[in-house]
Amino acid sequence: MPELPDVVVFRKYVDEKALHRPIEEVQLFAEEILDGISPAHLQSKTEGHRFESTARHGKYLFVNLDGSGWIVFHFGMTGYFQYFKDGEQGLKHTRALFSFNNGHHLAFVLQRKFGSIAFTEHVEDFVRERRLGPDALDKSLDLEVFKVIIKRTRGNIKSVLMDQRRIAGIGNVYSDEILYQSKILPKAEVGQLGDRDLERVFRAMKEVLNTAIDSQADPGKMPEHYLLPHRKKGGRCPVCGGDLRSDKISGRTYYYCPNCQFG
């Protein structure tokens, strides 16, 4: 599932490919992905206008329309963009297509229809209405704020990290890496973690997400001592060489090293 680093990559892609070009037509091939906006409203907001800038909060990408509101993309389990020109074949699972006056198109691709397109007048309003927590890489989320957020919750640390109402942007994959780098088991109860444990999680959160962004959100480009290049059935811990194990929390499969992670 696309998480914060992936959405940063998608944002850079839109910035590079699709800004400042008049939109001639918007086609929808799966109206069910629209969230609180009708097809006619989406078309009226976009056709004849331009994408002027972008913003991000957690797993959401916001694209500004001529200074008059924002299209909001959520990528669900499988979403991404494809920019292509006339004569090139678009992808099978394109759910929305934005066509520009230069003969190019921006496809919003979803193999599984768990992503969405919404509209908001202001990014801050959308964040508040969706009850999203602070972005995991926002400067306002310092160590003290992080500890307050974590300590006022119950349950295991992995679930808390993935709760978008607490901290926005972290999902199943990067929570595994954060906890691996913190040497803390995903099922460790929050109430049993001390300040030093939480500081390790906080430092690892910032480091892992920034490293993933630098690696273009490609697990194969992550450092060899990271879990992600080895995070699979039959994978081995890059530190101790032991077998990685997997388990489930809330139906989500996670990976960990029983030798290197504690709690």
Side-chain angles (χ1 to χ4, degrees), residues 115-177:
S116 62
I117 296 176
F119 177 82
T120 186
E121 293 290 347
H122 303 286
V123 173
E124 297 80 6
D125 291 344
F126 185 90
V127 170
R128 183 178 62 255
E129 290 165 2
R130 298 301 172 102
R131 299 173 60 196
L132 298 176
D135 184 87
L137 286 183
D138 194 287
K139 292 181 180 179
S140 67
L141 182 58
D142 60 19
L143 176 58
E144 294 309 311
V145 173
F146 178 80
K147 288 194 293 186
V148 169
I149 290 172
I150 301 299
K151 287 182 177 181
R152 68 187 181 196
T153 61
R154 295 182 179 179
N156 62 73
I157 183 62
K158 179 176 174 66
S159 294
V160 174
L161 288 175
M162 293 193 299
D163 186 345
Q164 302 304 297
R165 298 169 299 174
R166 307 297 180 188
I167 299 171
I170 302 169
N172 191 38
V173 171
Y174 288 105
S175 60
D176 276 4
E177 187 66 65

Side-chain angles (χ1 to χ4, degrees), residues 189-203:
E189 291 293 315
V190 168
Q192 297 177 351
L193 300 178
D195 282 353
R196 289 187 178 180
D197 297 321
L198 295 182
E199 182 173 356
R200 293 206 311 275
V201 175
F202 174 79
R203 304 296 180 197

